[in-house]
């Protein structure tokens, strides 16, 4: 697994919307903390609870704000066959909205990875 880019606790206004009909060219782990609008499998969905979704490489990505500011964390990844097999063993689904009852621990992981990736540490890779 290689982390290409990561964003931690980005807040956008109500005009924020991502529209990637062919996906982002990689796998995307998205954690959304505010109400949002997304399209999955051609169906629009409005969410009100925090959630995460792991977009498969090539899955269309359409998501964004509703009538409030939008806050998310995101990680763009490259995965090899071994990584994909491990995710399957763990039962982590792709392209599925998973509600988060408590995102505290996951948010801490993202924060630590974010600061490490953008640090000057020569061993950060």
């Amino acid at each position: 697994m290689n982390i290409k880019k990561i964003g931690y606790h980005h807040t956008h206004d109500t005009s924020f919307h991502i529209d990637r009909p062919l996906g982002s060219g990689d796998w995307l782990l998205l954690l959304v903390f505010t109400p949002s609008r997304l399209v999955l499998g051609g169906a629009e969905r409005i969410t009100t609870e925090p959630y995460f979704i792991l977009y498969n490489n090539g899955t269309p990505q359409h998501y964004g704000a509703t009538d409030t500011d939008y806050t998310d964390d995101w990680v763009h990844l490259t995965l090899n066959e071994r990584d994909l097999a491990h995710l399957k063993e763990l039962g982590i689904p792709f392209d599925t909205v998973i509600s988060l009852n408590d995102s505290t621990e996951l948010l801490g992981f993202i924060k630590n990875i974010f600061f490490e990736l953008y640090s000057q540490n020569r061993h950060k890779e």
Side-chain angles (χ1 to χ4, degrees):
M1 181 181 301
N2 183 26
I3 296 173
K4 295 170 59 177
K5 296 184 283 185
I6 187 171
Y8 171 68
H9 231 63
H10 279 255
T11 298
H12 309 272
D13 66 22
T14 58
S15 67
F16 176 74
H17 183 76
I18 293 292
D19 185 17
R20 298 181 185 127
L22 301 175
S24 55
D26 52 19
W27 286 264
L28 171 63
L29 173 63
L30 182 67
L31 289 87
V32 180
F33 304 102
T34 54
S36 71
R37 174 178 284 115
L38 73 149
V39 177
L40 258 179
E44 184 176 76
R45 179 173 176 174
I46 304 296
T47 64
T48 56
E49 301 295 323
Y51 69 91
F52 82 88
I53 183 170
L54 180 55
Y55 282 102
N56 204 346
N57 188 12
T59 297
Q61 300 168 2
H62 306 282
Y63 60 89
T66 56
D67 55 354
T68 61
D69 288 348
Y70 172 95
T71 302
D72 67 2
D73 292 354
W74 46 267
V75 184
H76 287 271
L77 306 160
T78 56
L79 301 173
N80 60 35
E81 292 302 318
R82 190 171 136 205
D83 298 327
L84 292 169
H86 187 62
L87 290 171
K88 186 176 181 178
E89 287 173 14
L90 293 173
I92 298 173
F94 290 96
D95 307 325
T96 304
V97 172
I98 307 294
S99 294
L100 294 170
N101 293 328
D102 181 5
S103 60
T104 307
E105 191 170 10
L106 192 52
L107 186 59
F109 291 143
I110 298 295
K111 179 180 177 182
N112 289 339
I113 293 168
F114 174 84
F115 285 113
E116 181 66 21
L117 186 66
Y118 294 113
S119 75
Q120 297 301 315
N121 183 345
R122 63 184 173 136
H123 300 291
K124 65 184 177 183
E125 292 295 320

